[in-house]
């Protein structure tokens, strides 16, 4: 009976609604339809913010110390000009490639790899997706794509793209440089030498000389490596980022020879030509750490860190903290480093060898370090650096027989 009564009440209510409130119900229904129509129309309209190239491709402000007189102003003006061109003509592939290369350079200068490299790859993809792309622009896009992939330590992918670019234009020195880098990182040293020789024959400049230097270093010819890197420095423009980078490596070669004062002179010369260059400041900090001048070392490392978020600077500072018995501070820095590595990974950067270094040297955990090194070994089984690291970790863990296998592949036989 209760159910029946409830049903009657509901029917009665419906009767009242269908009678007295019918007009009101119709008005509400029409109002709801109008709202739905407005929402639907809005959803079908393009989102101007999402299509605005300045929102898709954002230029980060540089640290004041990295602006270098007119350099930052020129970069900012160029960026603004390119964004305006892409607003007016989104399919402008030349503007897209110019923007890509601006981002690639900013990644090097500012250390903001996690921001700029994914944007560069996104811009390159938009160019390569263009159905009417001419061969010259396709070559340029593939060359830049190979360079970015190598910077992200995606060496096999970088090599594949470089080979595609060379099919289009086999007479360009820069793309041969990318292929040299890929061969080296993949442990294909004989192939790297062949391509490097071709690169130098096409264009003997800072890029080709620096690669010849690196190959001579791999083949344990430090004198020859220094000679070639000197040529690289001399062929570059003083104060340019790439010249400073070459001189930095020249200093590191002097360090390997035990010529600390000569290395220091190179780092200081960089700062005369390109003031506040963070890698030179960090290199000076690392030298002071070797000398056990801990206070000066920390001051220099902190200065470098204040300019760019370079993980190697944090690692050196954590090592300093361990050497001075400040384990808590070292642990906090290590936590920060792991977070930075995770961010880099999310941006497409392969960081397994760096993880291995952190777990081995900062966390005293060779077992986990070996796990990461093994991942790198799977990707690059012939690379001498990876094999040396695998050997060292096996020795740490008492796996002497295993270490001998890797040691046998940790040096390059002279051609």
């Amino acid at each position: 009976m209760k159910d029946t009564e409830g049903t009657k009440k509901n029917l009665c209510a419906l009767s009242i609604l269908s009678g007295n409130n019918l007009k009101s119900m119709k008005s509400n229904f029409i109002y709801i339809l109008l709202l739905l129509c407005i929402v639907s129309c809005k959803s079908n309209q393009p989102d101007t913010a999402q299509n605005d190239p300045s929102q898709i491709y954002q230029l980060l402000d540089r640290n004041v110390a990295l602006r270098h007189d007119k350099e930052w102003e020129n970069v900012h003006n160029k960026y603004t000009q390119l964004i305006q061109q892409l607003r007016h003509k989104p399919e402008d592939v030349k503007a897209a490639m110019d923007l890509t290369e601006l981002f690639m350079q900013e990644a090097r200068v500012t250390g903001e790899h996690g921001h700029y490299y994914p944007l560069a790859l996104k811009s390159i993809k938009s160019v390569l997706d263009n159905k009417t792309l001419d061969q010259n622009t396709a070559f340029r896009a593939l060359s830049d794509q190979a360079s970015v992939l190598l910077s992200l330590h995606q060496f096999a992918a970088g090599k594949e793209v470089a080979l595609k670019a060379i099919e289009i234009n086999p007479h360009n020195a820069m793309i041969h440089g990318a292929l040299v880098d890929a061969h080296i990182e993949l442990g294909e040293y004989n192939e790297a030498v062949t391509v490097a020789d071709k690169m130098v024959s096409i264009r003997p400049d800072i890029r080709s000389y620096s690669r010849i230097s690196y190959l001579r270093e791999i083949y344990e010819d430090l004198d020859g490596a220094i000679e070639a890197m000197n040529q690289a420095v001399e062929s570059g423009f003083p104060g340019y980022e790439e010249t400073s980078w070459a001189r930095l490596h020249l200093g590191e070669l002097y360090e390997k020879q035990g010529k600390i004062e000569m290395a220091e002179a190179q780092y200081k010369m960089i700062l005369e030509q390109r003031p506040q260059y963070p890698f030179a400041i960090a290199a000076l900090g690392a030298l002071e750490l070797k000398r056990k001048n801990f206070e000066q070392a920390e001051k220099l490392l902190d200065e470098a860190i204040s300019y760019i978020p370079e993980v190697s600077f944090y690692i050196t500072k954590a090592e300093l903290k361990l050497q001075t018995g400040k384990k808590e501070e070292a642990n906090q820095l290590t936590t920060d480093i792991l977070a930075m590595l995770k961010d880099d990974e999310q941006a497409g950067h392969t960081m397994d060898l760096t993880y291995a270094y952190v777990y081995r040297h900062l966390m005293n955990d060779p077992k986990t370090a070996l796990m990461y090194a093994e991942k790198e070994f799977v990707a690059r089984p012939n690379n001498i650096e990876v094999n040396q690291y695998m050997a060292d970790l096996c020795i740490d863990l008492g796996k002497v027989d295993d270490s001998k296998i890797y040691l046998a592949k940790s040096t390059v036989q002279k051609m």
Side-chain angles (χ1 to χ4, degrees):
M1 285 295 293
K2 285 183 180 178
D3 289 340
T4 305
E5 290 297 323
T7 303
K8 285 180 180 178
K9 287 178 181 178
N10 288 337
L11 289 171
C12 187
L14 285 171
S15 176
I16 293 169
L17 184 63
S18 61
N20 299 335
N21 295 338
L22 184 58
K23 289 182 181 180
S24 175
M25 186 69 175
K26 285 181 178 178
S27 298
N28 288 339
F29 183 67
I30 292 168
Y31 177 69
I32 290 167
L33 282 177
L34 284 170
L35 280 177
L36 288 172
C37 182
I38 291 168
V39 170
S40 175
C41 289
K42 282 187 176 181
S43 67
N44 290 328
Q45 290 175 355
D47 188 332
T48 54
Q50 287 184 353
N51 291 315
D52 183 353
S54 68
Q55 297 301 310
I56 300 169
Y57 302 107
Q58 291 185 355
L59 180 71
L60 301 179
D61 193 17
R62 273 195 197 180
N63 186 302
V64 174
L66 303 177
R67 291 185 179 178
H68 302 295
D69 297 326
K70 292 284 185 182
E71 184 178 288
W72 170 241
E73 183 182 336
N74 292 338
V75 167
H76 196 275
N77 289 342
K78 181 68 174 175
Y79 169 79
T80 303
Q81 175 193 337
L82 293 171
I83 288 298
Q84 289 296 340
Q85 288 176 235
L86 288 170
R87 277 200 188 106
H88 178 69
K89 188 179 178 184
E91 69 277 9
D92 187 337
V93 292
K94 183 183 182 304
M97 288 313 308
D98 287 346
L99 186 64
T100 296
E101 287 161 9
L102 184 147
F103 283 163
M104 290 167 66
Q105 183 63 17
E106 282 301 288
R108 285 176 60 91
V109 171
T110 67
E112 295 287 355
H113 308 129
H115 177 78
Y116 285 118
Y117 284 144
L119 290 184
L121 289 175
K122 185 181 182 72
S123 178
I124 290 166
K125 184 179 185 302
S126 74
V127 170
L128 292 174
D129 285 346
N130 190 304
K131 305 291 186 188
T132 60
L133 196 63
D134 64 274
Q135 288 290 82
N136 288 337
T137 308
F139 169 77
R140 185 180 174 190
L142 289 170
S143 297
D144 286 347
Q145 186 180 40
S147 179
V148 173
L149 290 171
L150 291 170
S151 295
L152 292 171
H153 293 184
Q154 297 181 30
F155 302 119
K159 175 186 170 182
E160 183 181 344
V161 173
L163 288 170
K164 286 181 183 177
I166 288 172
E167 284 181 11
I168 298 173
N169 181 0
H171 306 296
N172 179 278
M174 284 186 65
I175 191 58
H176 282 88
L179 188 56
V180 170
D181 295 342
H183 281 315
I184 288 172
E185 297 299 344
L186 294 170
E188 299 163 354
Y189 301 107
N190 291 342
E191 293 89 336
V193 170
T194 301
V195 178
D197 284 343
K198 185 166 186 179
M199 182 185 184
V200 173
S201 70
I202 295 171
R203 186 168 182 174
D205 63 3
I206 185 170
R207 298 177 183 89
S208 52
Y209 286 134
S210 61
R211 286 174 171 90
I212 292 295
S213 174
Y214 189 32
L215 280 165
R216 288 178 179 175
E217 181 187 354
I218 287 171
Y219 281 91
E220 300 180 351
D221 176 12
L222 276 182
D223 288 334
I226 288 171
E227 179 188 6
M229 195 59 78
N230 262 312
Q231 288 179 292
V233 170
E234 289 169 5
S235 64
F237 290 97
Y240 277 30
E241 192 276 337
E242 63 179 6
T243 311
S244 300
W245 186 255
R247 193 178 289 282
L248 180 80
H249 285 287
L250 178 59
E252 290 171 352
L253 288 168
Y254 281 129
E255 277 196 68
K256 287 190 175 183
Q257 279 195 329
K259 298 175 180 177
I260 301 302
E261 289 74 20
M262 292 183 73
E264 185 175 26
Q266 293 299 322
Y267 302 146
K268 288 181 176 178
M269 196 177 300
I270 292 171
L271 295 173
E272 288 175 10
Q273 297 175 350
R274 191 177 179 87
Q276 297 171 307
Y277 186 61
F279 291 97
I281 295 167
L284 288 170
L287 280 183
E288 295 302 330
L289 180 57
K290 286 182 179 179
R291 293 166 173 160
K292 307 296 182 186
N293 295 333
F294 298 121
E295 186 176 342
Q296 181 63 9
E298 185 167 2
K299 181 182 175 183
L300 288 163
L301 289 168
D302 283 341
E303 184 183 352
I305 286 168
S306 73
Y307 297 151
I308 65 171
E310 169 60 37
V311 70
S312 65
F313 301 169
Y314 286 83
I315 290 173
T316 306
K317 185 175 177 180
E319 289 173 331
L320 182 153
K321 293 296 183 182
L322 287 174
Q323 288 186 39
T324 53
K326 298 176 181 176
K327 193 170 181 180
E328 263 188 50
E329 292 181 44
N331 289 342
Q332 182 55 57
L333 280 165
T334 302
T335 300
D336 295 340
I337 290 164
L338 291 173
M340 292 170 73
L341 294 179
K342 186 175 181 180
D343 286 344
D344 282 342
E345 279 188 313
Q346 289 173 346
H349 204 154
T350 302
M351 303 298 294
D352 292 320
L353 210 57
T354 308
Y355 270 115
Y357 186 94
V358 169
Y359 275 97
R360 183 187 179 203
H361 293 279
L362 302 184
M363 303 175 74
N364 194 27
D365 183 359
K367 188 175 180 181
T368 304
L370 181 62
M371 180 189 75
Y372 280 104
E374 283 173 338
K375 288 171 66 178
E376 193 74 28
F377 178 78
V378 168
R380 302 192 284 156
N382 297 315
N383 181 276
I384 56 172
E385 182 185 3
V386 175
N387 277 280
Q388 182 64 61
Y389 215 77
M390 288 291 293
D392 292 343
L393 284 167
C394 286
I395 291 169
D396 288 349
L397 293 165
K399 300 179 178 181
V400 179
D401 290 339
D402 289 345
S403 72
K404 291 176 182 176
I405 298 169
Y406 297 114
L407 279 172
K409 296 175 65 178
S410 64
T411 56
V412 178
Q413 299 299 316
K414 293 186 178 181
M415 295 176 68

